[in-house]
Amino acid sequence: MARRIAAKVHQQASRLIQAGLLTNRPAWFQAVMDHPPIPLPPRAPPERHAYDLPPPKQTSSHSPTAHHIPSKHLRTPKPRPLPVHYLEDGLRRQFFKDRPFEAFRATTLVEGGGVEDEHPVRGVAWTRLRQRGRNPSPEDAVRFALNLYTVHKQPLSLAYRDAVLQFDALRSEQYIMTRFAVLEAEAHGAVFAPGEIERGFAMEEKALESWEEKGTLDDGALAARKRWKAVVQRRNPGEWTRGQAYVRLWKAGVRPDYSPILNESSPPAAIEVEEHDPELLSWSNFS
């Protein structure tokens, strides 16, 4: 015996009455049909309007699968929310995909205290995008394309094309008018503040000039600025003896001092050598 659900008894009774298997209507039938029980939320969602449903897939009537119902539609639906589809979402996604730079224009996201009133130009009277202003926004272009599709019954591709072409034309007019307005203001003596690009170039030139100033500083100024960095003073040791002077001093028992100069005011300690050996006296240059 098939499983019966209490919330669907009136539906089963209605089917039996339509088929002629139940001649006398029960006393409760009309009352339950006027006030049906609440369906199970996850399994039997309420009926929705076709406005926010995805468009049905069109199949050819000659195809073998035209009247075939897939088995997945005969199963009990899973407890998950149904998808919500709006036609303007696809138009908006395609618009910003074709013109991504429009998303970088400054706009405000602050919401007012109430919902914005509908524009008086809408429906059949809205045939040109210019009717809502000479500086339209991307949202105006999306709404205009949707209006051409739903009200004027144009194909969706043609409606999107016409809306985009009119939007580009109005953007070009706005750009040309702005450029000529700037030239006219400059001709009358107006001085505009530097923009972001000009400020960026100025900061870059200032950084390059600082590099040139660093190149002109001598080693002493750099050493004064870097307090804790050791400064190695390069001295000319004279003629290269291939290590013979070093070996001779080593045999004489003289040990050189390789410690860096920590204080320029105090002279380095001299090495005590015999006065009669001129080669030993020249070793102080290596300390």
Side-chain angles (χ1 to χ4, degrees), residues 125-144:
W126 195 14
T127 57
R128 302 289 297 176
L129 184 59
R130 185 188 293 268
Q131 295 177 250
R132 288 201 177 185
R134 304 181 66 177
N135 187 19
S137 63
E139 192 64 26
D140 294 335
V142 172
R143 292 180 181 178
F144 180 65

Side-chain angles (χ1 to χ4, degrees), residues 52-69:
D52 58 349
L53 291 176
K57 297 182 179 180
Q58 298 179 358
T59 56
S60 176
S61 58
H62 301 285
S63 61
T65 60
H67 303 284
H68 174 69
I69 301 177

